[in-house]
Every structure is written in structure tokens, then in C-alpha cells.
Amino acid sequence: MNKLSRILKDKGPIENVGVVGMGYVGIPAAVLFAEHFKFVWGFQRASASSGYKIDLLNRGESPLKGEEPGLEAMLNKVRSEKRFECTSDFSKINKVDAVTIAIQTPFEDIINLKPDFRALEEGLRQIGKYLNEGMLVVLESTVTPGTTGGLAANILNEESGLIAGEDFALAHAPERVMVGRLIRNIQEHDRIVGGINKESTERAVELYSPILTKGRIITMDSTAAEVTKTAENTFRDLQIAAINELALYCEAMRINVYDVRAGIDSLKGDGITRAVLYPGAGVGGHCLTKDTYHLERGAKTGNSKLDYPVNTESLYVLARKINDFMPIHMYNLTVDGLARSGRGIQEARVVILGWAFINNSDDTRNTPAEPYYDLLKKNGASITVHDPYVKEYNDIEINNDIEITQNLNEAVNGATAIAIFTGHNQYLNLKAGKIKKSTGLQHPVIVDGRNVINPDDFIREGFVYKGIGRGDKNYHDII
Ligand code: SAJ
């Protein structure tokens, strides 16, 4: 029996748990751990932007926006049973047997594959400072493959004077949660658990098994767990890029990509799979827009030299570029449509329908509508933005607030061109005749980035129609 096995055996089963980072990953995890273990500390920096969460959580209120079924009831229960407390006093980490960390890991510079791990490193330093022998540390954040056994282990060892894998257990168990179904995702998704050694994996299995209902534990080593998480999102981004590229091809060949999609999708059975997703105005969010670069960085900084076709770009990074081209394609379709209606971009007032990156949500992270907005602005168009869910948006880069209206009739009034960026339900039944009248134009332009309108309804009313993948309609006669 090696040193860590002996230490863990002497220490006995996990009783107290700590969760660092009271965000949309940490809070549901803390509440579920509190359901199954003796006591849980939720650690949250008393920062200006997030410190308010501490009192809120201790009052049994969730600081998370939007509906999270089951979360607040569970939070109230564990608070009333005195099994959960949120604190900014990180020294209490020395009272727990296991601590997880779930802190954002954005990229500072994707060209040079430079992530911004400052917040993660700060959290790891805090844990290291109060780390005891026999503790389990688990990274839940999405990280570059190699981080758990590399950067994280080094920081924890340096701060604690202990050795990861010998004196304490260290593992990666990536989160797979979606806003709106946080509790259910943690309980029902299979959980990847990867320790830096066998004993660490086993200790992490002990932490996660009790909170799973339908989900099962899948064990591997920490680097494989890091690759699994980044690759599962990279593959989704790749699938979206594949259908986006096909949409561009179909436009060039003047056919309807949705006919082709239905055709391809009909090939089923006998182990045949074709993950044909949906073309669109771009890919936003905080997962798919960064995880490819974590995977890329991991492969490039791996222990062995990467053997890859010479002077050939990574397929995965190319997929990112195809997806990031889609807002530019939306701009090109808008310019083409305006030209067909006899106008230049400078004379146009363009209405963007949808600022959220995903349907029926107010989540605007990395929204594809922003590069489109920036292109319109740079080329002199006047712009109105409508979104039923998003009330405000500050464009940090150019530090200006983008005004967003929730009044659709007002937004389209006098519009020269309308570009649909998000498939919000409100846009599924746009009335062509009513909108045409509001614009006051003979031939207003409409550009459908999410396949939510029927082209013929708008063409019949005199619109100049453009749609992603709709090569069969994009060159229609103007009525
Ligand atoms: N998108 C398309 N075409 C598609 C699907 C999505 O253009 O066929 C666009 C969306 O409009 C959006 C972006 O991609 O702008 C991302 O959409 P998403 O459905 O992937 O939503 P995310 O970014 O929240 O991805 C999350 C991820 N979940 C976790 O990280 C735990 C991802 O791994 C999931 O596959 C995804 O949810 C999901 O399947 O719902």
C-alpha cells in the first residue's frame, strides 16, 4: 500500500466538502454535496462583482439568473439543516476532506493560444495555503490538457509543501452543465473522473458517486479527462462548422441546404451515424468558442512532439474560423440584399433581431451578433438591436453600451434591412405584411440567420430575401 493509500485509509471516508467558486457550476455542486455529505463550505471571494452572493446564498437565495429547477428548494433545505454555509474565509478549507474548484478559464489570446488562468491560479493558491495531508482536490473548470497534473499540482505543492499524489489526492472531474438544467445535468450526465494517479481517482469517485442518479462514473487519468471535456465541445463545434460550410456551398450552387440536410439525415441504421446539425449566423457561448483552443494548446504543449501534416492548419481551428466567418457572411448577405434593393450600407438602418447567443435565453457571451454589429458600424450603417430577453449589453472592448429594445414593432419601424441572429420563439411568427408596412419601403431586406421564417411569405410581400444555406431563394425575382 503506498503512502497516499495509507493516509486516506487512516483518514476515513469523506465527510466535509469545500467548493471554491460560487458560480453556475459551483453552486449546484455545493448544494448536491450538502445533500449527501456532513457539511459543505461554499467559498466565494468578497469581490466587488461577486461578493454579494455570500449573503444571498446564506439566506437560501440563488444568485443565478433564470429558472434552475430544484436548486433554490435544495439550497433552502441544506441551509435549514445547517449543512451548507457560504464564506469568504478560505482558511476554513483546512476543515474539509475534499475541495472542488470551478472557476472560469477564458482565453487571453487565441492566436497565441494564451489562456487567462489568473482566477484559477488564485483559487488554487488559496486551496494550497490551507491544504492538509489526505485531502482531495478536484478541478471542475475546463482546462488545457495537462493543467491538473502540471500547473495545478505545482501551485498546490508550492503553497502547501506537500506532494500531489503522495500526500493529497488530485483529480479533474469536468463539469457538463447547461444553464437551466444545472441540478439535473450533474445528477444525470455521466461523470468523467480522472485522477493524477489511481488513489486520486478512487478518492474522487467516492466524492462524486453519491450525487449521481442516472449518470454513471467513467474513470481515466486526469489528462484524458481534460481531453475528453475539451474534445466533446471541439467535436460539437466541428459538426456545426461542417454544416455551416455545406450551407455556404449550397448557396453557391443555388440549392437549399435544408433539402440536403434532410437527405443526409435519412441515412440511418446499421451503426451508420451522420451528426448533421444546423447552419446558422455563428457560434457563441463560453464553451464552444474556447474549448477547441484548450485542446489545441494541450496537443501543442504535450510531452511528445505532435506528428501532423506539414504546413496544414488544425482541422479543429479551421472549424472555429468557419464558424466565426458566419457573422461576416451575414454581413455579406445584407450588403448583397441592400444592393438588390438599390441601397448602399451607409444609407441603411439595419435591425438586428436577437443579441443572445442561444434561443430563448438572455446569455450574450461571445454572441455572433457582435462582430456583425461591429462590421455594420464600421461601414456606416445605423443600427437597432432587438432582443426579448437581453435588456442591456456593454461592449467591453470598445467600452460602449449597446442599446437593446424589447419593442419589436418600434424596432422594425422604418427599417431598411432586418437580420435575424437568434432563433427566439418571438421570431418564429413574424408577419411579412405587417413588417413590410412598418418599414414603409417597397423592397426592404430580410436576412434569416436561423431559418426561422418562410422565404416565400416575405418574397411575396416584396422583400429582398437572403437566408443562410438558401441558395434556392437567395437569387429570387423581386416582386
Ligand atoms: N449552434 C449552431 N448550430 C447548431 C447548434 C448550435 O449554430 O446546430 C450555435 C448556437 O446558436 C450557439 C452555439 O452554437 O450560438 C452554441 O450552442 P450550444 O447548443 O452548443 O450551447 P452551449 O454553447 O451552451 O453548449 C453547451 C455545452 N455543454 C457543456 O459544456 C456542458 C455543449 O457541450 C453541449 O453539447 C451543448 O450545450 C448542448 O448540447 O446543449
Side-chain angles (χ1 to χ4, degrees), residues 175-178 181 229 232-233 236 240 244 277-280 282-288 291 357-359 368 450:
E175 53 84 10
R176 289 173 142 179
V177 295
M178 275 286 289
R181 40 189 199 251
K229 171 64 189 180
E232 69 190 20
N233 284 340
R236 181 167 172 83
I240 298 169
N244 277 337
L277 292 176
Y278 294 90
V283 170
H286 54 289
C287 304
L288 276 59
D291 290 359
F357 86 87
I358 197 152
N359 305 353
R450 296 290 173 193

mmCIF file of all heavy atoms in Angstrom, residues 175-178 181 229 232-233 236 240 244 277-280 282-288 291 357-359 368 450, ligand 1:
data_model
loop_
_atom_site.group_PDB
_atom_site.id
_atom_site.type_symbol
_atom_site.label_atom_id
_atom_site.label_comp_id
_atom_site.label_asym_id
_atom_site.label_seq_id
_atom_site.Cartn_x
_atom_site.Cartn_y
_atom_site.Cartn_z
ATOM 1 N N GLU A 175 -17.051 19.748 -15.480
ATOM 2 C CA GLU A 175 -18.493 19.979 -15.385
ATOM 3 C C GLU A 175 -19.098 19.838 -16.783
ATOM 4 O O GLU A 175 -18.435 20.077 -17.778
ATOM 5 C CB GLU A 175 -18.780 21.376 -14.833
ATOM 6 C CG GLU A 175 -18.122 22.529 -15.534
ATOM 7 C CD GLU A 175 -18.873 23.044 -16.779
ATOM 8 O OE1 GLU A 175 -20.034 22.612 -17.006
ATOM 9 O OE2 GLU A 175 -18.289 23.838 -17.519
ATOM 10 N N ARG A 176 -20.346 19.412 -16.821
ATOM 11 C CA ARG A 176 -21.047 19.260 -18.107
ATOM 12 C C ARG A 176 -22.451 19.856 -17.981
ATOM 13 O O ARG A 176 -23.418 19.268 -18.410
ATOM 14 C CB ARG A 176 -21.189 17.774 -18.466
ATOM 15 C CG ARG A 176 -19.905 17.107 -18.850
ATOM 16 C CD ARG A 176 -20.099 15.612 -19.012
ATOM 17 N NE ARG A 176 -19.321 15.087 -20.133
ATOM 18 C CZ ARG A 176 -19.318 13.799 -20.465
ATOM 19 N NH1 ARG A 176 -20.042 12.927 -19.778
ATOM 20 N NH2 ARG A 176 -18.588 13.371 -21.490
ATOM 21 N N VAL A 177 -22.500 21.026 -17.296
ATOM 22 C CA VAL A 177 -23.835 21.570 -17.014
ATOM 23 C C VAL A 177 -24.265 22.614 -18.046
ATOM 24 O O VAL A 177 -23.443 23.268 -18.655
ATOM 25 C CB VAL A 177 -23.886 22.201 -15.601
ATOM 26 C CG1 VAL A 177 -23.678 21.135 -14.544
ATOM 27 C CG2 VAL A 177 -22.867 23.319 -15.448
ATOM 28 N N MET A 178 -25.561 22.705 -18.231
ATOM 29 C CA MET A 178 -26.170 23.715 -19.110
ATOM 30 C C MET A 178 -27.066 24.582 -18.246
ATOM 31 O O MET A 178 -27.821 24.042 -17.420
ATOM 32 C CB MET A 178 -27.042 23.018 -20.148
ATOM 33 C CG MET A 178 -26.307 22.559 -21.336
ATOM 34 S SD MET A 178 -25.900 23.967 -22.355
ATOM 35 C CE MET A 178 -27.500 24.394 -22.984
ATOM 36 N N ARG A 181 -30.625 23.769 -16.508
ATOM 37 C CA ARG A 181 -30.824 22.376 -16.060
ATOM 38 C C ARG A 181 -29.598 21.905 -15.263
ATOM 39 O O ARG A 181 -29.084 20.814 -15.434
ATOM 40 C CB ARG A 181 -31.121 21.448 -17.231
ATOM 41 C CG ARG A 181 -30.336 21.676 -18.500
ATOM 42 C CD ARG A 181 -30.921 20.798 -19.610
ATOM 43 N NE ARG A 181 -29.972 20.622 -20.693
ATOM 44 C CZ ARG A 181 -30.114 21.187 -21.901
ATOM 45 N NH1 ARG A 181 -31.125 21.983 -22.128
ATOM 46 N NH2 ARG A 181 -29.225 20.969 -22.857
ATOM 47 N N LYS A 229 -13.200 16.483 -22.016
ATOM 48 C CA LYS A 229 -14.057 17.674 -21.887
ATOM 49 C C LYS A 229 -13.832 18.643 -23.058
ATOM 50 O O LYS A 229 -14.775 19.091 -23.711
ATOM 51 C CB LYS A 229 -13.777 18.387 -20.564
ATOM 52 C CG LYS A 229 -14.461 19.743 -20.430
ATOM 53 C CD LYS A 229 -15.975 19.632 -20.434
ATOM 54 C CE LYS A 229 -16.633 21.007 -20.520
ATOM 55 N NZ LYS A 229 -18.109 20.935 -20.536
ATOM 56 N N GLU A 232 -15.060 17.047 -26.399
ATOM 57 C CA GLU A 232 -16.516 16.881 -26.619
ATOM 58 C C GLU A 232 -17.116 18.191 -27.146
ATOM 59 O O GLU A 232 -18.034 18.162 -27.961
ATOM 60 C CB GLU A 232 -17.245 16.397 -25.367
ATOM 61 C CG GLU A 232 -17.345 17.348 -24.231
ATOM 62 C CD GLU A 232 -17.874 16.663 -22.951
ATOM 63 O OE1 GLU A 232 -17.806 15.428 -22.849
ATOM 64 O OE2 GLU A 232 -18.338 17.380 -22.049
ATOM 65 N N ASN A 233 -16.544 19.315 -26.738
ATOM 66 C CA ASN A 233 -17.035 20.595 -27.268
ATOM 67 C C ASN A 233 -16.409 20.913 -28.614
ATOM 68 O O ASN A 233 -17.047 21.482 -29.495
ATOM 69 C CB ASN A 233 -16.790 21.720 -26.268
ATOM 70 C CG ASN A 233 -17.804 21.656 -25.125
ATOM 71 O OD1 ASN A 233 -18.856 21.051 -25.271
ATOM 72 N ND2 ASN A 233 -17.478 22.260 -24.006
ATOM 73 N N ARG A 236 -18.388 19.184 -31.187
ATOM 74 C CA ARG A 236 -19.671 19.840 -31.489
ATOM 75 C C ARG A 236 -19.421 21.047 -32.404
ATOM 76 O O ARG A 236 -20.126 21.245 -33.388
ATOM 77 C CB ARG A 236 -20.357 20.280 -30.204
ATOM 78 C CG ARG A 236 -21.714 20.941 -30.438
ATOM 79 C CD ARG A 236 -22.496 21.065 -29.158
ATOM 80 N NE ARG A 236 -23.705 21.834 -29.283
ATOM 81 C CZ ARG A 236 -24.867 21.340 -29.721
ATOM 82 N NH1 ARG A 236 -24.956 20.077 -30.109
ATOM 83 N NH2 ARG A 236 -25.934 22.111 -29.787
ATOM 84 N N ILE A 240 -20.833 21.659 -36.246
ATOM 85 C CA ILE A 240 -21.553 22.875 -36.673
ATOM 86 C C ILE A 240 -20.819 23.500 -37.869
ATOM 87 O O ILE A 240 -21.430 23.921 -38.843
ATOM 88 C CB ILE A 240 -21.670 23.883 -35.507
ATOM 89 C CG1 ILE A 240 -22.475 23.275 -34.357
ATOM 90 C CG2 ILE A 240 -22.302 25.192 -35.985
ATOM 91 C CD1 ILE A 240 -22.437 24.083 -33.064
ATOM 92 N N ASN A 244 -22.191 24.404 -41.548
ATOM 93 C CA ASN A 244 -22.064 25.806 -41.994
ATOM 94 C C ASN A 244 -21.359 25.871 -43.352
ATOM 95 O O ASN A 244 -21.788 26.590 -44.258
ATOM 96 C CB ASN A 244 -21.310 26.642 -40.957
ATOM 97 C CG ASN A 244 -22.228 27.141 -39.835
ATOM 98 O OD1 ASN A 244 -23.437 27.248 -40.013
ATOM 99 N ND2 ASN A 244 -21.643 27.428 -38.694
ATOM 100 N N LEU A 277 -25.899 18.802 -37.959
ATOM 101 C CA LEU A 277 -26.506 19.826 -37.100
ATOM 102 C C LEU A 277 -27.135 20.912 -37.975
ATOM 103 O O LEU A 277 -27.555 20.602 -39.100
ATOM 104 C CB LEU A 277 -25.451 20.359 -36.131
ATOM 105 C CG LEU A 277 -25.007 19.316 -35.079
ATOM 106 C CD1 LEU A 277 -23.894 19.851 -34.197
ATOM 107 C CD2 LEU A 277 -26.184 18.877 -34.225
ATOM 108 N N TYR A 278 -27.195 22.144 -37.462
ATOM 109 C CA TYR A 278 -27.921 23.198 -38.184
ATOM 110 C C TYR A 278 -26.996 24.376 -38.521
ATOM 111 O O TYR A 278 -26.306 24.866 -37.626
ATOM 112 C CB TYR A 278 -29.100 23.690 -37.336
ATOM 113 C CG TYR A 278 -30.136 22.610 -37.146
ATOM 114 C CD1 TYR A 278 -30.049 21.733 -36.060
ATOM 115 C CD2 TYR A 278 -31.141 22.407 -38.085
ATOM 116 C CE1 TYR A 278 -30.961 20.700 -35.910
ATOM 117 C CE2 TYR A 278 -32.065 21.378 -37.935
ATOM 118 C CZ TYR A 278 -31.960 20.525 -36.850
ATOM 119 O OH TYR A 278 -32.858 19.489 -36.713
ATOM 120 N N PRO A 279 -27.055 24.840 -39.784
ATOM 121 C CA PRO A 279 -26.246 26.021 -40.107
ATOM 122 C C PRO A 279 -26.851 27.247 -39.430
ATOM 123 O O PRO A 279 -28.029 27.245 -39.060
ATOM 124 C CB PRO A 279 -26.369 26.135 -41.627
ATOM 125 C CG PRO A 279 -27.659 25.467 -41.962
ATOM 126 C CD PRO A 279 -27.852 24.391 -40.940
ATOM 127 N N GLY A 280 -26.036 28.280 -39.230
ATOM 128 C CA GLY A 280 -26.586 29.452 -38.559
ATOM 129 C C GLY A 280 -25.683 30.659 -38.703
ATOM 130 O O GLY A 280 -24.654 30.625 -39.369
ATOM 131 N N GLY A 282 -23.751 31.933 -36.705
ATOM 132 C CA GLY A 282 -22.485 31.878 -35.974
ATOM 133 C C GLY A 282 -22.610 31.055 -34.711
ATOM 134 O O GLY A 282 -23.682 30.592 -34.355
ATOM 135 N N VAL A 283 -21.479 30.864 -34.024
ATOM 136 C CA VAL A 283 -21.417 30.054 -32.806
ATOM 137 C C VAL A 283 -20.960 30.948 -31.657
ATOM 138 O O VAL A 283 -19.872 31.524 -31.691
ATOM 139 C CB VAL A 283 -20.425 28.878 -32.977
ATOM 140 C CG1 VAL A 283 -20.172 28.164 -31.648
ATOM 141 C CG2 VAL A 283 -20.955 27.903 -34.021
ATOM 142 N N GLY A 284 -21.819 31.076 -30.650
ATOM 143 C CA GLY A 284 -21.445 31.902 -29.488
ATOM 144 C C GLY A 284 -21.309 31.027 -28.260
ATOM 145 O O GLY A 284 -21.141 29.817 -28.357
ATOM 146 N N GLY A 285 -21.380 31.659 -27.100
ATOM 147 C CA GLY A 285 -21.296 30.924 -25.834
ATOM 148 C C GLY A 285 -19.874 30.876 -25.318
ATOM 149 O O GLY A 285 -18.932 31.323 -25.979
ATOM 150 N N HIS A 286 -19.724 30.298 -24.121
ATOM 151 C CA HIS A 286 -18.416 30.296 -23.467
ATOM 152 C C HIS A 286 -17.773 28.915 -23.536
ATOM 153 O O HIS A 286 -16.709 28.701 -23.039
ATOM 154 C CB HIS A 286 -18.601 30.703 -22.006
ATOM 155 C CG HIS A 286 -19.610 29.854 -21.350
ATOM 156 N ND1 HIS A 286 -20.954 29.946 -21.647
ATOM 157 C CD2 HIS A 286 -19.503 28.839 -20.479
ATOM 158 C CE1 HIS A 286 -21.617 29.038 -20.970
ATOM 159 N NE2 HIS A 286 -20.771 28.354 -20.261
ATOM 160 N N CYS A 287 -18.465 27.946 -24.147
ATOM 161 C CA CYS A 287 -17.874 26.594 -24.207
ATOM 162 C C CYS A 287 -17.192 26.400 -25.552
ATOM 163 O O CYS A 287 -15.986 26.287 -25.660
ATOM 164 C CB CYS A 287 -18.968 25.535 -24.056
ATOM 165 S SG CYS A 287 -19.923 25.701 -22.588
ATOM 166 N N LEU A 288 -18.026 26.389 -26.610
ATOM 167 C CA LEU A 288 -17.519 26.025 -27.924
ATOM 168 C C LEU A 288 -16.526 27.048 -28.466
ATOM 169 O O LEU A 288 -15.709 26.733 -29.326
ATOM 170 C CB LEU A 288 -18.676 25.839 -28.915
ATOM 171 C CG LEU A 288 -19.332 24.460 -28.870
ATOM 172 C CD1 LEU A 288 -19.881 24.138 -27.506
ATOM 173 C CD2 LEU A 288 -20.422 24.361 -29.895
ATOM 174 N N ASP A 291 -13.080 25.997 -26.027
ATOM 175 C CA ASP A 291 -12.538 24.681 -25.679
ATOM 176 C C ASP A 291 -11.639 24.101 -26.765
ATOM 177 O O ASP A 291 -10.690 23.370 -26.454
ATOM 178 C CB ASP A 291 -13.681 23.731 -25.321
ATOM 179 C CG ASP A 291 -14.317 24.151 -23.991
ATOM 180 O OD1 ASP A 291 -13.824 25.137 -23.401
ATOM 181 O OD2 ASP A 291 -15.294 23.539 -23.556
ATOM 182 N N PHE A 357 -26.771 34.589 -27.512
ATOM 183 C CA PHE A 357 -26.060 33.646 -28.392
ATOM 184 C C PHE A 357 -26.880 32.395 -28.621
ATOM 185 O O PHE A 357 -26.551 31.573 -29.489
ATOM 186 C CB PHE A 357 -24.674 33.308 -27.824
ATOM 187 C CG PHE A 357 -24.635 32.175 -26.828
ATOM 188 C CD1 PHE A 357 -24.501 30.860 -27.241
ATOM 189 C CD2 PHE A 357 -24.739 32.430 -25.469
ATOM 190 C CE1 PHE A 357 -24.475 29.815 -26.328
ATOM 191 C CE2 PHE A 357 -24.704 31.398 -24.545
ATOM 192 C CZ PHE A 357 -24.574 30.075 -24.976
ATOM 193 N N ILE A 358 -27.960 32.215 -27.826
ATOM 194 C CA ILE A 358 -28.731 30.964 -27.928
ATOM 195 C C ILE A 358 -30.226 31.273 -27.750
ATOM 196 O O ILE A 358 -30.591 32.247 -27.074
ATOM 197 C CB ILE A 358 -28.220 29.941 -26.898
ATOM 198 C CG1 ILE A 358 -28.681 28.531 -27.250
ATOM 199 C CG2 ILE A 358 -28.532 30.318 -25.475
ATOM 200 C CD1 ILE A 358 -27.735 27.465 -26.756
ATOM 201 N N ASN A 359 -31.073 30.467 -28.388
ATOM 202 C CA ASN A 359 -32.515 30.751 -28.430
ATOM 203 C C ASN A 359 -33.117 30.878 -27.035
ATOM 204 O O ASN A 359 -32.731 30.149 -26.126
ATOM 205 C CB ASN A 359 -33.262 29.597 -29.143
ATOM 206 C CG ASN A 359 -32.691 29.344 -30.526
ATOM 207 O OD1 ASN A 359 -31.830 30.102 -30.994
ATOM 208 N ND2 ASN A 359 -33.136 28.285 -31.181
ATOM 209 N N PRO A 368 -22.507 35.938 -31.652
ATOM 210 C CA PRO A 368 -22.084 36.209 -33.026
ATOM 211 C C PRO A 368 -22.673 37.517 -33.577
ATOM 212 O O PRO A 368 -22.188 38.051 -34.569
ATOM 213 C CB PRO A 368 -22.588 35.014 -33.824
ATOM 214 C CG PRO A 368 -23.309 34.115 -32.890
ATOM 215 C CD PRO A 368 -23.285 34.703 -31.538
ATOM 216 N N ARG A 450 -31.191 32.079 -38.955
ATOM 217 C CA ARG A 450 -31.541 30.908 -38.132
ATOM 218 C C ARG A 450 -32.706 30.098 -38.704
ATOM 219 O O ARG A 450 -33.319 29.321 -38.002
ATOM 220 C CB ARG A 450 -31.886 31.339 -36.684
ATOM 221 C CG ARG A 450 -30.741 31.956 -35.929
ATOM 222 C CD ARG A 450 -29.633 30.947 -35.571
ATOM 223 N NE ARG A 450 -28.493 31.656 -34.978
ATOM 224 C CZ ARG A 450 -27.297 31.118 -34.793
ATOM 225 N NH1 ARG A 450 -27.083 29.879 -35.146
ATOM 226 N NH2 ARG A 450 -26.295 31.811 -34.296
HETATM 227 N N1 SAJ B 1 -25.355 26.300 -32.882
HETATM 228 C C1 SAJ B 1 -25.474 26.259 -34.278
HETATM 229 N N2 SAJ B 1 -25.932 25.120 -34.866
HETATM 230 C C2 SAJ B 1 -26.266 24.016 -34.118
HETATM 231 C C3 SAJ B 1 -26.132 24.079 -32.706
HETATM 232 C C4 SAJ B 1 -25.676 25.226 -32.108
HETATM 233 O O1 SAJ B 1 -25.181 27.233 -34.967
HETATM 234 O O2 SAJ B 1 -26.692 23.024 -34.701
HETATM 235 C C5 SAJ B 1 -24.856 27.520 -32.255
HETATM 236 C C6 SAJ B 1 -25.866 28.143 -31.303
HETATM 237 O O3 SAJ B 1 -26.668 29.073 -31.991
HETATM 238 C C7 SAJ B 1 -24.966 28.829 -30.290
HETATM 239 C C8 SAJ B 1 -23.708 27.974 -30.272
HETATM 240 O O4 SAJ B 1 -23.737 27.174 -31.455
HETATM 241 O O5 SAJ B 1 -24.625 30.134 -30.724
HETATM 242 C C9 SAJ B 1 -23.555 27.065 -29.069
HETATM 243 O O6 SAJ B 1 -24.758 26.372 -28.934
HETATM 244 P P1 SAJ B 1 -24.833 25.038 -27.982
HETATM 245 O O7 SAJ B 1 -26.183 24.443 -28.208
HETATM 246 O O8 SAJ B 1 -23.641 24.208 -28.199
HETATM 247 O O9 SAJ B 1 -24.866 25.632 -26.499
HETATM 248 P P2 SAJ B 1 -23.663 25.800 -25.489
HETATM 249 O O10 SAJ B 1 -22.582 26.633 -26.048
HETATM 250 O O11 SAJ B 1 -24.285 26.224 -24.215
HETATM 251 O O12 SAJ B 1 -23.055 24.316 -25.351
HETATM 252 C C10 SAJ B 1 -23.378 23.529 -24.236
HETATM 253 C C11 SAJ B 1 -22.208 22.617 -23.994
HETATM 254 N N3 SAJ B 1 -22.454 21.931 -22.740
HETATM 255 C C12 SAJ B 1 -21.471 21.915 -21.817
HETATM 256 O O13 SAJ B 1 -20.398 22.459 -21.974
HETATM 257 C C13 SAJ B 1 -21.792 21.173 -20.590
HETATM 258 C C14 SAJ B 1 -22.088 21.598 -25.097
HETATM 259 O O14 SAJ B 1 -21.093 20.628 -24.723
HETATM 260 C C15 SAJ B 1 -23.376 20.877 -25.289
HETATM 261 O O15 SAJ B 1 -23.248 19.973 -26.394
HETATM 262 C C16 SAJ B 1 -24.459 21.897 -25.637
HETATM 263 O O16 SAJ B 1 -24.571 22.796 -24.517
HETATM 264 C C17 SAJ B 1 -25.790 21.169 -25.846
HETATM 265 O O17 SAJ B 1 -25.724 20.105 -26.484
HETATM 266 O O18 SAJ B 1 -26.817 21.709 -25.424
#
